[in-house]
Amino acid sequence: MSTPSSEVLTSLSTLRDYIRWGASQFTEAKLVFGHGTATALDEAAALVLHTLHLPYNLSELYFQSKLTLEERQAIVAIFDKRIKERKPAAYLTHEAIFAGLSFYVDERVLVPRSPIAELIAQRFAPWVEEDLVERILDLCTGSACIAIACAYAFPDANVDAVDISNDALAVAKINATNHQLVDGLTLYQSNLFDGLPADVQYDIIVSNPPYVAVEEWQQLPAEFHAEPEIGFVAGDSGLDIVIRILAKAKDYLTPQGILVVEVGSSAETLQDTFPNVPFFWLDFERGGDGVFLLTAEQIIEYHKDFANALN
């Protein structure tokens, strides 16, 4: 860091001081954000508040509070670690907030940040009738943040969560335990639908799968390379896994069911691949894009297109 720690510890004293200073250090170091925080100031605030065991919605009345020497040293240490290691802040704190809920995260899973959280908060309205939702499937669940948020939104529904990675499922199990959902959430180690019971169907299938093309992945900043590659890369086009989901979904959706998938930067490629398919691209008030919705009826109607692309 550009300023010696001893000088910082003597010249800065308040919570506000350290948030401001941290943001300046992060900007100078050209850190990259986008893992739950959008700016250097937001990330500095998140790290300071977590380090001091304070809530993220802390009143500004406390920002002039003076910090103890031990607190200042802890903050400088975590800022230094963030700059030197280029890891997302969530890996340093082992916590990410998604859909207003706290999740344990480490390098075995992507940091939760999907705009699908907003859709879950709306209980997928107006696309489903909330009281009629009995089963939900989260494909490529990672930390299980989407699955667990769905379990809160639909407390009477059965929620299944799938991931191919045993490492990711170990993190998912931690979060299911932390949220007291060990019995309410079923985890499957499976390559997409392959390990699911053959006769099960879902009212909602939701997925934030790998959707980044190999070339794009290679060009991403260091913070993204700190995350597991398996959570990003999906072939030369970025669509390898998404197409498999589209081709298989018809067998796992109820007649009134919906499929919601985040494809992020591959949205244009997907639309170009299936120019006749009326993907409904969702808008989000809190930001984010590249999430489509299809009904079970549409999945069936265009199944031949999806199957042909798979072959």
Side-chain angles (χ1 to χ4, degrees), residues 9-208:
L9 295 174
T10 55
S11 60
L12 302 179
S13 61
T14 68
L15 192 153
R16 188 186 301 275
D17 287 341
Y18 280 88
I19 292 175
R20 195 282 310 156
W21 177 73
S24 296
Q25 296 296 303
F26 292 169
T27 300
E28 181 181 343
K30 294 181 171 58
L31 299 189
V32 173
F33 310 105
H35 295 85
T37 59
T39 68
L41 195 62
D42 289 344
E43 185 129 333
L47 284 171
V48 167
L49 293 170
H50 186 280
T51 302
L52 299 180
H53 310 290
L54 294 171
Y56 292 123
N57 61 350
L58 183 71
S59 168
E60 288 192 16
L61 295 173
Y62 293 94
F63 278 39
Q64 287 303 110
S65 301
K66 291 190 175 182
L67 307 181
T68 67
L69 177 59
E70 184 178 0
E71 289 174 330
R72 299 179 204 180
Q73 291 172 331
I75 290 169
V76 170
I78 200 167
F79 282 174
D80 192 44
K81 191 176 180 71
R82 173 67 179 91
I83 289 172
K84 288 181 177 178
E85 297 185 7
R86 286 298 202 274
K87 289 182 179 180
Y91 288 157
L92 306 182
T93 63
H94 294 302
E95 181 184 26
I97 304 299
F98 179 82
L101 302 168
S102 173
F103 291 93
Y104 171 85
V105 293
D106 61 30
E107 286 85 347
R108 292 175 289 182
V109 295
L110 297 186
V111 177
R113 53 187 180 269
S114 173
I116 290 173
E118 187 174 320
L119 192 61
I120 298 171
Q122 298 166 352
R123 292 171 176 79
F124 295 88
W127 304 100
V128 298
E129 292 188 43
E130 180 181 343
D131 295 340
L132 299 182
V133 174
E134 297 181 358
R135 298 192 71 93
I136 301 171
L137 173 64
D138 175 21
L139 288 172
C140 308
T141 194
S143 63
C145 62
I146 287 176
I148 290 171
C150 285
Y152 277 99
F154 299 91
D156 296 326
N158 294 308
V159 181
D160 294 341
V162 167
D163 207 287
I164 196 171
S165 166
N166 281 315
D167 281 343
L169 289 172
V171 176
K173 187 173 182 179
I174 291 171
N175 284 316
T177 300
N178 290 347
H179 287 277
Q180 300 180 325
L181 287 170
V182 173
D183 296 327
L185 174 66
T186 304
L187 300 174
Y188 289 92
Q189 193 282 325
S190 174
N191 188 348
L192 298 179
F193 300 101
D194 293 352
L196 293 173
D199 58 347
V200 66
Q201 289 191 317
Y202 299 92
D203 301 298
I204 299 171
I205 298 177
V206 59
S207 183
N208 180 13

Side-chain angles (χ1 to χ4, degrees), residues 31 121 247 252 276 292 301:
L31 299 189
Y252 294 90
N276 298 322
F292 73 78
E301 182 179 355

